[in-house]
Amino acid sequence: MPIPALAPPRDCHLPNGFPPVSLSAGMDLSVVDLSPVPRDGTAADAFANTVETAQRAEELGYERVWVAEHHGTAERIAGTTPEVLLGHLAAETDDIRIGSGAVLLNHYSPFKVAEEFGALDALAPGRVDAGLGRANGSPASDSALGTDRHVQNPDEDHREAVEAVVSHLYDAFPDDHAYADLSIPRSGAGPAKPWVLGSSPSSAEIAAALGLPYVYAAFIRPQWAEHAVETYREEFEAGALPGGVDEPEVVVAVNAVCAETDEDAARLRAVAEATYERLRRGEVGPTPNVEDAIDELGGVPDPTPASLDADEWPRALSGGPKTLAGVLGQLADRVGADELMVQHTPPDHETGLRSHDLLADGVGLTPR
């Protein structure tokens, strides 16, 4: 997910009369998986785990499963090439939507990205999401990827890249355009559905201007979630691009882990919080186990309260099934989210699967 630098946003609230949303009323729930490398494991183990995560999510009734793109930290996160992993997931799943969270457009040609998602649509007709984002990595990884970190106007550059991908996907270039005769693979059921992903108001502005659905990464910048979504809703232009939506469509991605009790879940949340502190210090390495994470934090984190204050949006959430479902419902209500997407940092794969099982039960997903 992208992490642009912007001025702090103004205080904001949803317009009066905005309809409340409740997870118990049938809101969709989805999963994003980073393909973490298990302790003493390899990328092969990580990808096998991602396949199992996707298959279990499909059985449980989750709406979609997305995979991510991270560079230069493959000893910890194997998810570097979502377009490759999605081809495998297409063959290993049946009807759950699959997509990228995100493919990083600042590294690639829009035409090549459109070709990749055209091919994915042909492999999984009618169920592919093209999640489009941007992010800079380390100077070394950006250089190795051939990425210019100093474009004159990053926002305008990204908007043009997103528009180009969508125009290729939907064969929407004007007849006199240089790319009008280019074609991409198609299934006949697609094309892939484009989404704009981000963690700032600038990504919200781009999604709104292009009339595309929007995913906000609240696990990166939770304090800006309400402002970014409000910006998207206020500036949304329906019909700006083919593949767009008639009304604003919002997914909010959160870091959340579920266990049998609130106290057990708080212990698991220590792993996410310790990992975040390590990343802030510039440390990379395997995910800590629960006890090491608790030692690093100086104790077990307090359980996430069942009722959040109006200005409270924790970076990481935890709870038993009932508590966590209620907390997610509160956050969804604040921004009028159509769907929540769960990202988590469990100490091991089996714990992560169990978290998805319990949350599905707490929210009341309908198994496939």
Side-chain angles (χ1 to χ4, degrees):
M1 295 279 187
I3 314 177
L6 292 173
R10 66 185 185 278
D11 292 336
C12 61
H13 303 280
L14 287 172
N16 290 334
F18 196 87
V21 181
S22 171
L23 283 170
S24 61
M27 172 180 286
D28 290 331
L29 197 65
S30 296
V31 171
V32 59
D33 188 85
L34 308 186
S35 302
V37 178
R39 188 178 297 273
D40 300 323
T42 67
D45 301 310
F47 294 143
N49 289 343
T50 294
V51 169
E52 186 176 12
T53 295
Q55 292 172 333
R56 182 76 67 88
E58 182 172 64
E59 294 171 2
L60 292 169
Y62 285 85
E63 175 69 12
R64 67 191 86 236
V65 59
W66 285 4
V67 294
E69 177 178 340
H70 291 266
H71 296 289
T73 58
E75 70 280 6
R76 187 173 69 87
I77 295 176
T80 60
T81 50
E83 67 279 11
V84 175
L85 184 52
L86 288 172
H88 186 51
L89 291 182
E92 297 293 332
T93 57
D94 295 318
D95 61 4
I96 193 169
R97 294 195 67 86
I98 58 175
S100 54
V103 63
L104 304 179
L105 276 183
N106 54 314
H107 298 317
Y108 311 116
S109 149
F111 179 52
K112 182 60 176 174
V113 170
E115 285 188 317
E116 291 165 349
F117 279 89
L120 288 168
D121 167 63
L123 292 169
R127 61 186 183 101
V128 174
D129 296 321
L132 307 174
R134 57 177 170 175
N136 289 118
S138 68
S141 65
D142 284 355
S143 177
L145 288 162
T147 303
D148 182 2
R149 295 172 63 95
H150 304 290
V151 295
Q152 185 172 3
N153 188 332
D155 290 346
E156 187 63 29
D157 184 69
H158 185 55
R159 173 176 169 168
E160 291 176 358
V162 172
E163 189 168 5
V165 170
V166 175
S167 295
H168 284 300
L169 285 174
Y170 284 82
D171 194 20
F173 286 105
D175 290 342
D176 59 351
H177 195 281
Y179 300 156
D181 293 334
L182 294 177
S183 60
I184 65 168
R186 300 187 183 280
S187 71
K193 180 176 179 176
W195 295 76
V196 174
L197 280 62
S199 60
S200 75
S202 66
S203 58
E205 291 169 358
I206 291 169
L210 299 178
L212 297 175
Y214 180 52
V215 181
Y216 183 79
F219 58 86
I220 295 177
R221 285 182 172 151
Q223 70 274 24
W224 290 17
E226 293 178 64
H227 173 67
V229 175
E230 182 188 44
T231 297
Y232 171 66
R233 293 188 185 283
E234 288 181 345
E235 301 185 11
F236 180 81
E237 297 182 23
L241 276 182
V245 289
D246 294 333
E247 297 179 351
E249 185 174 343
V250 175
V251 173
V252 175
V254 297
N255 183 290
V257 64
C258 196
E260 279 77 4
T261 69
D262 294 353
E263 291 72 22
D264 289 342
R267 290 179 60 83
L268 296 179
R269 197 180 84 241
V271 177
E273 296 194 3
T275 299
Y276 175 71
E277 292 302 322
R278 288 183 179 187
L279 293 174
R280 287 185 60 185
R281 298 192 298 265
E283 299 176 11
V284 295
T287 300
N289 61 36
V290 173
E291 296 305 325
D292 287 345
I294 291 171
D295 287 344
E296 289 183 28
L297 296 173
V300 178
D302 292 332
T304 300
S307 181
L308 299 175
D309 292 339
D311 60 350
E312 185 180 10
W313 193 310
R315 183 181 302 277
L317 307 165
S318 63
K322 182 178 179 180
T323 296
L324 189 54
V327 169
L328 294 180
Q330 293 170 49
L331 296 179
D333 285 348
R334 289 190 195 174
V335 295
D338 302 287
E339 180 178 328
L340 289 179
M341 181 171 286
V342 174
Q343 181 259 346
H344 59 199
T345 313
D348 57 75
H349 176 57
E350 290 302 322
T351 300
L353 290 178
R354 181 62 176 159
S355 175
H356 288 160
D357 288 351
L358 291 168
L359 182 56
D361 183 60
V363 170
L365 296 184
T366 302
R368 285 179 172 82

